[in-house]
Amino acid sequence: MVCAQRLPFLHWDYFLQGTDLKQVVVLGATGSIGLSTLDVLNRHADRFTLHTITAYRSVKKMLELVLAYEPVQAVMACPDAAEQLASLLPAQSPTRVLGGEQALVDVASASEVDVVMAAIVGFAGLRPTLAAAEHGKRLLLANKEALVSAGSVFMEATRAGGATLLPIDSEHNAMFQCIPANSQGRPQSAGVEKILLTASGGPFRGRSRSQLVAVTPEQACAHPNWSMGRKISVDSATLLNKGLELAEACWLFDCTPDDIDVVVHPQSIIHSLVRYHDGSVLAQLGNPDMRTPIAYGLSWPERIDAGVSPLDLVSVAKLDFEAPDLDAFPCLRLAQEAITQPGGMCVLNAANEVAVAAFLDGQLGFTGIDNVIAHALEEVSSREPENLAAVEALDSRARANAEERIHKLKRDRRGV
Ligand code: NDP
Ligand code: MG
């Protein structure tokens, strides 16, 4: 049974609190989600102003964005990159440049900020995303790794801070659109029987395990439907992304993995479905373009133009469905197990981040990714982390374990 514990986090009076422009921070502005967010914001200058954009160390990309959008502030998490950016900006630029990780936290919690788009990739986004939750922002959550790693710590921060948590991941945004908002505080009354989480299957759908051994980072990053950053592209190829999304849905919609079925739908037109006790199944459809969920997160409970072309069902013609192949892609099964272990998803996420970085760097084979994760889940014992320090400590232990495992796999490969 799905209950709607997320709904108390929703505040309906967003656009009713006067006509002020909403001040928006885009964490991870140089990335795929960040750029799509800037595109949507740019279409609605009458509703939103760009307060701050952030990046890690992509100075050239950031310079282009600062010149194009002239935000109040630009933050580079890497202090050297901040210095470089400041030196490249014309003297008359209205944008203030800040540097360092604390600056990310400061901008996400600044009192004048209304909306924070959390689009940093990976665990690195946890602190600023949590800060936005603690300070009661409208929090648009793309950075799923932050939520699944910190779990109850994250949800408690959202509750205590009075934040409005809106899912940007296309599947969760679809679920959010298909579960009635009037079930607030009365979870049973929503009548939901099952959530159907769709997966594209990634670029290697249909391959056997042995056909995956020699695949390259370029092949793994060539997603058939979505244009995304490299890390999430690899996660989609291993199906680990679906495991993260399973945990994400459990937190957002207060349910268990048993309440959710994963369905492979190669066209990525249906973004997820919700089945009700009366037999009705509601789905959200659309072209695979992240500007749709981003626009919905920005404007909810209203709707605004996202710049997305209309869905043409006749040219789509066919919608296919199949079960996921857990033998070829064991990462999803590993996540199903990890969700039930205290701290398991934090360990899984950390090991995966290390393994994916090693794969992209040519240090680990594609099928080594699940090997490293399985090993970390076996070896890193944990309790459910109760605060941020405990989450970070567990993440570090899992990373160290994964590094060691990769080192060993490399040594064995060389026959040492
Ligand atoms: P990208 O790799 O395209 O962008 C990542 C962004 O994070 C960049 O701005 C990057 O800056 C910044 N960043 C990277 N490392 C750090 C760090 N250590 N500290 C601060 N900032 C950092 O990622 P995506 O846009 O694809 O994904 C972002 C998040 O959204 C991920 O959590 C992903 O799972 C989620 N998501 C993405 C979807 C998509 O379609 N892309 C769909 C659903 C969810 P720099 O450029 O300087 O490195
Ligand atoms: Mg998704």
Side-chain angles (χ1 to χ4, degrees), residues 142-220:
N143 180 204
K144 64 192 97 181
E145 298 94 335
L147 172 58
V148 305
S149 298
S152 58
V153 173
F154 188 104
M155 294 308 281
E156 185 45 39
T158 306
R159 195 174 348 234
T164 300
L165 181 59
L166 294 167
I168 297 304
D169 217 346
S170 57
E171 296 80 358
H172 306 73
N173 193 274
M175 295 166 196
F176 177 67
Q177 295 194 40
C178 294
I179 298 176
N182 67 4
S183 61
Q184 178 164 8
R186 289 176 292 123
Q188 313 286 336
S189 70
V192 174
E193 184 231 335
K194 204 74 158 181
I195 288 176
L196 307 175
L197 169 62
T198 54
S200 69
F204 306 134
R205 185 177 61 86
R207 293 203 192 186
S208 67
R209 181 95 178 142
S210 60
Q211 290 171 320
L212 293 171
V213 174
V215 300
T216 65
E218 282 59 43
Q219 290 168 327

Side-chain angles (χ1 to χ4, degrees), residues 237-262:
T238 58
L239 284 202
L240 190 281
N241 183 51
K242 222 34 66 179
L244 296 177
E245 291 184 353
L246 191 63
E248 185 183 10
C250 288
W251 286 114
L252 289 171
F253 303 107
D254 194 23
C255 57
T256 71
D258 289 343
D259 297 317
I260 303 171
D261 282 348
V262 176

Side-chain angles (χ1 to χ4, degrees), residues 23-286:
Q23 306 260 354
V24 184
V25 170
V26 181
L27 301 170
T30 48
S32 162
I33 293 287
L35 294 174
S36 293
T37 306
L38 296 178
D39 182 89
V40 176
L41 291 172
N42 201 33
R43 294 166 190 274
H44 300 281
D46 55 327
R47 286 177 179 246
F48 305 103
T49 69
L50 194 54
H51 186 277
T52 302
I53 58 177
T54 85
Y56 180 34
R57 56 186 172 193
S58 299
V59 174
K60 198 165 160 277
K61 279 194 210 165
M62 194 62 152
L63 179 64
E64 283 170 19
L65 295 180
V66 169
L67 295 176
Y69 294 103
E70 300 194 323
V72 180
Q73 300 181 132
V75 181
M76 303 300 296
C78 168
D80 289 350
E83 273 183 33
Q84 271 185 50
L85 177 65
S87 71
L88 292 169
L89 278 181
Q92 71 277 18
S93 168
T95 303
R96 192 159 77 105
V97 177
L98 303 169
E101 288 175 11
Q102 184 57 39
L104 298 176
V105 172
D106 294 343
V107 298
S109 40
S111 58
E112 68 273 25
V113 166
D114 303 295
V115 182
V116 174
M117 163 56 82
I120 292 175
V121 60
F123 191 80
L126 176 58
R127 277 180 175 242
T129 304
L130 208 54
E134 285 164 348
H135 287 80
K137 306 303 180 194
R138 169 173 284 225
L139 176 53
L140 309 188
L141 185 73
N143 180 204
K144 64 192 97 181
E145 298 94 335
L147 172 58
V148 305
S149 298
S152 58
V153 173
F154 188 104
M155 294 308 281
E156 185 45 39
T158 306
R159 195 174 348 234
T164 300
L165 181 59
L166 294 167
I168 297 304
D169 217 346
S170 57
E171 296 80 358
H172 306 73
N173 193 274
M175 295 166 196
F176 177 67
Q177 295 194 40
C178 294
I179 298 176
N182 67 4
S183 61
Q184 178 164 8
R186 289 176 292 123
Q188 313 286 336
S189 70
V192 174
E193 184 231 335
K194 204 74 158 181
I195 288 176
L196 307 175
L197 169 62
T198 54
S200 69
F204 306 134
R205 185 177 61 86
R207 293 203 192 186
S208 67
R209 181 95 178 142
S210 60
Q211 290 171 320
L212 293 171
V213 174
V215 300
T216 65
E218 282 59 43
Q219 290 168 327
C221 289
H223 197 280
N225 308 331
W226 297 95
S227 161
M228 308 183 285
R230 283 168 77 76
K231 191 264 178 184
I232 187 178
S233 296
V234 176
D235 288 350
S236 297
T238 58
L239 284 202
L240 190 281
N241 183 51
K242 222 34 66 179
L244 296 177
E245 291 184 353
L246 191 63
E248 185 183 10
C250 288
W251 286 114
L252 289 171
F253 303 107
D254 194 23
C255 57
T256 71
D258 289 343
D259 297 317
I260 303 171
D261 282 348
V262 176
V263 183
V264 174
H265 162 49
Q267 291 89 358
S268 299
I269 294 295
I270 298 180
H271 300 303
S272 275
L273 314 89
V274 176
R275 194 166 74 212
Y276 287 83
H277 284 299
D278 64 2
S280 297
V281 180
L282 301 191
Q284 187 259 347
L285 285 74

Side-chain angles (χ1 to χ4, degrees), residues 138 173 176-177 292-300 302-303:
R138 169 173 284 225
N173 193 274
F176 177 67
Q177 295 194 40
T292 296
I294 290 167
Y296 194 59
L298 283 167
S299 65
W300 179 89
E302 299 178 19
R303 290 193 186 256

